[in-house]
Amino acid sequence: MGSEDITGTLILNKPPVQRVRMTFFFKELAALQVTSLSAFIDNLRSAMPDVSEEFPLPMRDDATGVGVFVSSRTALPFPLISFRDPSTGRGIHFQADRFSLTWEFYGEGEEKRYPGFVDLREQFVIAYGKFCTAIGEQMGAIPDVTGAQCLYHNAISEIPGAGLALYLLTGRDDLTAREVIRNRTYAGARVRFPLLGPIESKVSAGVDTPSDDESDLWIKVSSATPESDSSLRDPYDLLDEAHDVLIRHFIQFTPEWLREQWKAQR
């Protein structure tokens, strides 16, 4: 990811690869069909030529709270449709209960650098607005957003993978991977915990380390308004909260010396 600037925006400084995803979750649009969005899909295809259709990701059943692939209706489920522009690394993905924007940033050069949350948030606002317009024209109502999610994925080469996993779990950088794990072929870690408040958030983070030269740190935060809170809330409040929580925990999950090193290389 990178260091935090004075506005609270996370800045990419050094890592060679970064993937970012922002998502809105909404109540399932059970009547939605691919043909209903044909014009919207055609416009996306012209800008993002890589297109795929897959089975939808599991959706939360309102009665049981359990994730299901399809609802009880007999119609075919709306697929997960993905569009990607390989020249920019930008992608749009949606199904009957969610809408996501993804970005991939590689290597050096201003066009490859992470531009900051404010810039990406504006892109998300525009793209989701067009999606809502298309839904409204066909269904007479826009999606009812129930939650938001931010996911940041970074390749990190400055610290051995097992050492990064240890820091995620212990907050200590005075241990080395060699002292703890020998003859390993893989080392990784996962943490997950809830945060309660006016906006409920769930934090997940992990380190995957195929080798000491290849470490992958990811942090995912999902935010939602508690069901007991009947007040209306701007769905972008949920997205901003997810990002703010993510920044705080990125600082918690990475050593200060590493963040200072990235800052010095800006």
Side-chain angles (χ1 to χ4, degrees), residues 68-257:
V68 295
F69 286 99
V70 295
S71 62
S72 58
R73 55 190 168 81
T74 57
L76 289 173
F78 191 93
L80 170 63
I81 306 180
S82 298
F83 300 83
R84 183 177 179 275
D85 181 358
S87 66
T88 64
R90 186 168 176 261
I92 289 179
H93 321 265
F94 57 88
Q95 60 181 55
D97 73 332
R98 71 196 67 183
F99 178 92
S100 299
L101 244 67
T102 58
W103 299 264
E104 296 178 352
F105 306 97
Y106 295 91
E108 303 297 333
E110 289 300 320
E111 73 281 359
K112 301 295 185 181
R113 292 171 63 86
Y114 171 63
F117 174 73
V118 174
D119 188 309
L120 297 188
R121 183 187 187 278
E122 181 60 26
Q123 293 183 40
F124 183 87
V125 169
I126 294 171
Y128 183 69
K130 292 179 179 179
F131 176 73
C132 286
T133 297
I135 294 293
E137 289 175 348
Q138 297 300 319
M139 304 188 67
I142 63 173
D144 183 4
V145 174
T146 59
Q149 185 182 90
C150 284
L151 170 66
Y152 279 63
H153 229 123
N154 272 106
I156 296 177
S157 59
E158 291 86 351
I159 181 173
L164 185 62
L166 286 170
Y167 192 89
L168 176 70
L169 294 173
T170 67
R172 294 179 58 182
D173 57 5
D174 58 341
L175 297 173
T176 67
R178 188 180 303 278
E179 291 174 324
V180 180
I181 305 173
R182 297 179 182 274
N183 300 321
R184 66 192 178 280
T185 58
Y186 172 83
R190 295 284 189 279
V191 295
R192 183 172 63 244
F193 51 90
L195 297 175
L196 300 179
I199 296 178
E200 295 180 345
S201 297
K202 296 179 181 178
V203 181
S204 301
V207 173
D208 292 308
T209 59
S211 71
D212 273 348
D213 296 324
E214 183 182 352
S215 305
D216 196 18
L217 170 66
W218 59 268
I219 303 176
K220 178 174 66 178
V221 180
S222 302
S223 294
T225 302
E227 293 183 5
S228 58
D229 184 357
S230 60
S231 63
L232 297 177
R233 185 182 300 278
D234 185 333
Y236 290 100
D237 288 347
L238 301 177
L239 187 67
D240 293 341
E241 175 71 9
H243 174 258
D244 291 347
V245 171
L246 189 147
I247 287 180
R248 294 198 297 270
H249 286 88
F250 168 74
I251 293 173
Q252 175 185 345
F253 296 149
T254 54
E256 182 178 2
W257 66 263

